[in-house]
Amino acid sequence: MAMSANTINVLNYLKKTTAAGQDVTATDVAEALGVDVKVVNGAFTSGIQRKELGERIAAEIELEDGTHKAVKLLRLTERGMAYTVEDDTEDAE
């Protein structure tokens, strides 16, 4: 099945952040792309993670007030970094 436009947008954004070594959450991606965090989570789970193109990594961040919060970082795998939309059309054949 072909990737949705939302999944392609999330994948392309994660390629940039993963290549730059940036750690991002679904909320970060949603804010950057101007979409709801549910859209990012759905696209990541069904279009990226299930195809083993990305993974969620448990992490802890420090908030401005000094407290800590558990989060899940979104990161592409090597396969995800190499993946192109053309690969998706080949899978459908």
Side-chain angles (χ1 to χ4, degrees):
M1 181 192 296
M3 279 188 180
S4 71
N6 285 329
T7 302
I8 292 168
N9 289 338
V10 171
L11 178 71
N12 287 334
Y13 183 79
L14 289 174
K15 280 186 177 187
K16 291 176 193 172
T17 60
T18 299
Q22 291 178 285
D23 290 331
V24 294
T25 64
T27 301
D28 297 329
V29 177
E31 289 174 2
L33 297 179
V35 297
D36 192 276
V37 71
K38 289 180 184 180
V39 171
V40 173
N41 280 323
F44 191 83
T45 299
S46 63
I48 297 173
Q49 193 171 14
R50 284 190 184 148
K51 292 182 179 184
E52 298 179 355
L53 303 176
E55 58 190 348
R56 283 186 169 89
I57 300 167
E60 189 175 280
I61 60 171
E62 185 173 341
L63 303 176
E64 290 179 15
D65 65 2
T67 61
H68 292 91
K69 177 181 178 183
V71 296
K72 298 279 181 149
L73 303 175
L74 305 184
R75 195 170 297 150
L76 294 181
T77 61
E78 282 186 37
R79 185 173 170 214
M81 290 296 291
Y83 195 83
T84 66
V85 177
E86 290 78 25
D87 293 334
D88 204 46
T89 56
E90 292 171 9
D91 291 344
E93 295 176 2

